[in-house]
Amino acid sequence: MTSDANGSDKQCSVLVVNCSGRETAHSQALRLRGFRVVEVAEWPADEIALEHEIVIIVLRRLDSVAVTAARMRAKPRFGNRVLIGVTESAPSAVERRHAILAGYDDLAGESRDSRVLIARILRMLRSRPEYRCLVPDKNRPAA
């Protein structure tokens, strides 16, 4: 686990970059699961992106998938953060593979079940020890 400046465990943080103006159910589902979610409507400055372990890009068009992935991965110290694209409709297997080859960790549709997306995010975080953070278990009562 990483700790913040006060020495306490750091809550997992998701940056949702939504330049499309479309609403998605994923942000609310992530909040309900225990993630700290920050939404922005414009492309984030480098220091904003670096505050989060997970970055979700709500794509205007699927043909911009390679450009947006390259733009995020090129940010200084962006490293191996979890990067996910969200499209208006459910992506095909070919579109998903193309997005992963372009630099995304995953590609999901807006209408896709958020539980699947959250499960994938948690699996990706476990494989990245440099981004250890705490996702409170909402199903367990506080001690």
Side-chain angles (χ1 to χ4, degrees):
M1 296 274 175
T2 59
S3 297
D4 62 15
N6 299 324
S8 60
D9 291 332
K10 181 181 182 295
Q11 183 181 10
C12 287
S13 181
V14 179
L15 175 65
V16 177
V17 181
N18 189 351
C19 301
S20 75
R22 295 187 318 263
E23 296 259 343
T24 72
H26 296 314
S27 294
Q28 183 62 23
L30 286 160
R31 281 186 191 97
L32 289 172
R33 179 57 182 88
F35 289 91
R36 184 173 67 90
V37 179
V38 175
E39 295 184 58
V40 296
E42 302 203 2
W43 201 254
D46 293 349
E47 60 275 359
I48 300 296
L50 296 178
E51 294 174 8
H52 308 276
E53 293 81 22
I54 305 112
V55 177
I56 296 176
I57 310 287
V58 180
L59 298 162
R60 288 184 189 163
R61 299 177 321 276
L62 192 57
D63 61 354
S64 66
V65 72
V67 173
T68 56
R71 195 169 172 191
M72 286 307 289
R73 294 282 180 206
K75 287 187 175 291
R77 299 181 321 280
F78 189 80
N80 197 24
R81 281 177 172 69
V82 175
L83 180 62
I84 297 176
V86 172
T87 60
E88 194 167 8
S89 58
S92 69
V94 170
E95 291 167 333
R96 193 165 173 244
R97 270 194 309 276
H98 173 70
I100 291 169
L101 289 172
Y104 280 94
D105 291 297
D106 207 344
L107 184 66
E110 289 176 9
S111 61
R112 185 166 183 100
D113 186 353
S114 294
R115 290 179 300 165
V116 172
L117 179 65
I118 291 169
R120 290 179 182 170
I121 289 171
L122 292 172
R123 183 175 28 92
M124 288 178 226
L125 283 174
R126 280 193 295 273
S127 70
R128 293 171 166 97
E130 67 272 26
Y131 298 119
R132 289 287 182 226
C133 54
L134 177 66
V135 179
D137 186 351
K138 294 292 188 171
N139 297 324
R140 279 192 321 188

